[in-house]
Amino acid sequence: MTGDEFQAAAIETWALRDSSEWERKMAHAICMLSSEAGEVAGLWQKCVGQGHEYDKNAMRDELGDALYAIAIACG
């Protein structure tokens, strides 16, 4: 899947895809990205700061969610 294909698929599944309010769309995407970045940081902090085992699958999921937010922000 190319980046363009990923972005098109992300936008197709996004709840606000039909909204004409650009500011609302951007606010939603930016807040989602911030939230997902926090989840990525939280997973890393558990690994490095608390000695938990690195969970590659959880990290991949959270990074994927962040990528989704970026794709809709750029759409």
Side-chain angles (χ1 to χ4, degrees):
M1 177 180 286
T2 68
D4 288 341
E5 291 169 338
F6 178 85
Q7 184 178 29
I11 291 169
E12 184 60 33
T13 64
W14 188 32
L16 296 177
R17 72 180 174 275
D18 294 327
S19 175
S20 62
E21 299 175 53
W22 181 82
E23 291 88 1
R24 183 172 179 220
K25 286 182 174 182
M26 286 303 291
H28 179 80
I30 291 166
C31 288
M32 183 191 317
L33 177 57
S34 177
S35 175
E36 296 304 333
E39 292 188 38
V40 168
L43 285 172
W44 188 247
Q45 189 272 333
K46 285 180 181 179
C47 178
V48 173
Q50 298 175 357
H52 292 229
E53 187 173 327
Y54 177 70
D55 188 341
K56 182 178 181 177
N57 291 325
M59 184 63 79
R60 181 179 24 219
D61 289 345
E62 296 306 336
L63 288 169
D65 292 344
L67 182 59
Y68 175 85
I70 292 167
I72 62 174
C74 292

